[in-house]
Amino acid sequence: MADLSEKNYSALFQEKKKRFSDEFNHIELIDFFKSPYLGYRYRAEFSLIKKNGYTSLAMTKDGQKKEITSFPIANLRIQNLMESLIRFINTNSIISDKLFQVEFQSSRTDDSLITLIYHKNLGSDWEQQALEFASSENVSVIGRSKKQKIKIGNDYVKETYSYLNNTYPLFLFEQCFSQTNPYICDDMLNWVSENVEPSLEDVLELHCGLGTFTILLSRLFRKVLATENSRPSIKGLKQNLELNNSNNVYFARLSGQETLAALNQERIFNRLSAIDLNEFEFSSVFLDPPREGLDDKTLLNVKNFNQIIYISCGFETFKRDMNYLEKTHEVKKLAMFDQFPYTDHIESGAILVKKAPD
């Protein structure tokens, strides 16, 4: 088992810090954010492995399934649910039959959800047994199979994020991307709010997801145009905006490239028919792309914004994109967020402002 001690975590964090600092040694203003060394994961996915008639949770390593007997990097609520669920699976053939994947999600108030994914159609007998487990553990349960979803309780957990002296709630929906480490998410929100001046102009947000950063941006800028290509995430975003009474956010289901094409009047989209793009005065763009980073066309377009706020989950693509963006923008602040301790993964943040013309 990996060394999950605080001492080892601190040593690994220093290695990441050095790696980040060495890469950006020309930048003076860099902030570094550590994670708790245990109990920081609030989402976890497992496959199943059966040995000697006993079913266990498993994860794949080096192409092979490895049994998971403990998972201390998860929060305590998920750890307890893992134990309860395995006991239930091993004593209930209706629940265990053709079950191949299990997903856990929780919040810091212990609001919790388990998704069970099957290679079979789920009937009323399954629903009755799942309801029994959900009631005994005070947890929501989702059953999924091909073209089927059975919901017992909610299909989301409710998390509350903090920045400076403010908070806001967010519904984190099942099957939608959300931040795995809420403590680091608070750090990211706080870092953005500390380093971005409130503005009477507007911000464009690409890849907005469920609205984790959208709510914050709505409090820093006059208006927000938020776009996202995922239907479930856009549906979740709508509910989160209603939850927070965010009335200055306009949103549409568009990819980043489609959004920029619309702004450049290259294409007309029916999905934008209710939004008058001429009413926006964009000074800033907020980017939180997938791991592959920004495509060439997006890079070409975002350099026209006065301010670029960039959160990245892929360090190699972040380095590549920063090399391009620094040709037109000065780096105001950088940050390294240790979203995934004990791994090589580095989450990065940058705030850039446009260089004055020569």
Side-chain angles (χ1 to χ4, degrees):
M1 180 179 288
D3 180 357
L4 300 181
S5 66
E6 185 173 9
K7 181 179 179 180
N8 186 48
Y9 170 64
S10 295
L12 293 172
F13 178 80
Q14 291 302 319
E15 289 178 10
K16 286 187 184 181
K17 184 175 178 180
K18 183 178 186 305
R19 182 179 162 202
F20 194 95
S21 299
D22 288 349
E23 183 63 39
F24 295 104
N25 56 20
H26 61 292
I27 305 296
E28 292 184 4
L29 300 175
I30 306 178
D31 295 319
F32 298 91
F33 296 92
K34 294 178 72 172
S35 169
Y37 72 99
L38 292 176
Y40 55 83
R41 280 198 72 119
Y42 282 69
R43 284 193 298 118
E45 300 178 4
F46 301 95
S47 59
L48 296 165
I49 189 170
K50 197 165 188 177
K51 187 176 181 181
N52 298 325
Y54 186 83
T55 300
S56 302
L57 297 174
M59 301 184 84
T60 300
K61 184 177 181 180
D62 300 326
Q64 290 189 326
K65 284 186 179 181
K66 303 290 185 181
E67 180 184 0
I68 301 297
T69 56
S70 65
F71 201 59
I73 64 172
N75 73 313
L76 190 58
R77 173 65 166 154
I78 287 180
Q79 292 184 56
N80 290 335
L81 286 172
M82 289 168 63
E83 293 180 6
S84 299
L85 181 64
I86 281 300
R87 285 196 300 267
F88 192 67
I89 287 172
N90 279 286
T91 57
N92 194 304
S93 60
I94 293 173
I95 294 295
S96 62
D97 182 42
K98 296 186 179 178
L99 173 66
F100 72 93
Q101 186 170 324
V102 178
E103 300 173 358
F104 296 89
Q105 189 161 3
S106 181
S107 73
R108 285 174 286 188
T109 58
D110 288 343
D111 191 11
S112 306
L113 168 67
I114 298 175
T115 302
L116 305 175
I117 306 175
Y118 289 85
H119 286 309
K120 70 173 183 179
N121 193 58
L122 303 177
S124 58
D125 55 347
W126 179 91
E127 190 168 359
Q128 181 59 41
Q129 296 300 312
L131 179 60
E132 178 183 316
F133 179 80
S135 299
S136 67
E137 298 295 330
N138 190 28
V139 64
S140 295
V141 175
I142 304 294
R144 283 190 175 273
S145 63
K146 188 176 182 180
K147 297 182 179 179
Q148 186 182 28
K149 174 183 175 181
I150 297 177
K151 180 175 69 170
I152 299 171
N154 298 318
D155 59 355
Y156 62 83
V157 300
K158 188 178 181 182
E159 181 60 89
T160 298
Y161 292 115
S162 302
Y163 70 98
L164 300 182
N165 294 316
N166 302 285
T167 64
Y168 57 84
L170 214 68
F171 292 139
L172 307 180
F173 287 89
E174 182 249 1
Q175 299 282 296
C176 292
F177 172 80
S178 60
Q179 297 290 334
T180 301
N181 187 330
Y183 307 103
I184 289 295
C185 187
D186 283 349
D187 287 333
M188 289 191 288
L189 294 169
N190 196 70
W191 181 78
V192 170
S193 61
E194 283 185 330
N195 292 289
V196 173
E197 294 290 334
S199 174
L200 295 177
E201 295 182 301
D202 307 324
V203 61
L204 171 67
E205 181 185 12
L206 304 181
H207 314 286
C208 65
L210 290 164
T212 305
F213 290 97
T214 313
I215 307 302
L216 172 65
L217 295 173
S218 73
R219 299 175 180 184
L220 295 176
F221 292 87
R222 186 185 66 151
K223 289 189 295 187
V224 183
L225 176 61
T227 63
E228 166 63 54
N229 201 32
S230 163
R231 289 180 186 272
S233 292
I234 281 291
K235 183 179 177 181
L237 172 68
K238 183 175 185 296
Q239 294 183 61
N240 280 322
L241 294 177
E242 292 171 354
L243 177 66
N244 286 279
N245 297 313
S246 300
N247 299 316
N248 63 334
V249 178
Y250 301 80
F251 62 92
R253 188 180 62 81
L254 295 170
S255 68
Q257 283 200 13
E258 288 174 332
T259 304
L260 294 168
L263 290 174
N264 292 334
Q265 299 182 333
E266 298 169 2
R267 289 182 62 185
I268 297 174
F269 294 91
N270 290 332
R271 286 165 280 169
L272 278 171
S273 59
I275 301 175
D276 185 356
L277 297 179
N278 294 318
E279 293 184 355
F280 290 87
E281 297 178 8
F282 293 114
S283 60
S284 302
V285 60
F286 184 95
L287 308 166
D288 187 8
R291 189 160 298 193
E292 58 266 24
L294 303 175
D295 60 87
D296 291 343
K297 188 171 183 180
T298 300
L299 280 169
L300 183 64
N301 279 271
V302 299
K303 70 178 185 180
N304 297 318
F305 289 83
N306 290 330
Q307 180 173 235
I308 300 170
I309 310 161
Y310 189 178
I311 300 294
S312 168
C313 60
F315 190 50
E316 294 305 315
T317 53
F318 178 72
K319 292 189 295 183
R320 178 201 68 197
D321 294 346
M322 286 293 292
N323 186 56
Y324 180 89
L325 294 172
E326 285 187 74
K327 295 175 183 176
T328 55
H329 288 67
E330 296 281 356
V331 178
K332 177 181 176 182
K333 206 72 177 287
L334 281 182
M336 188 198 86
F337 305 98
D338 199 10
Q339 179 90 263
F340 297 98
Y342 311 107
T343 73
D344 292 333
H345 179 95
I346 291 177
E347 194 105 355
S348 310
I351 298 173
L352 306 100
V353 293
K354 199 166 188 178
K355 295 177 180 178
D358 295 332

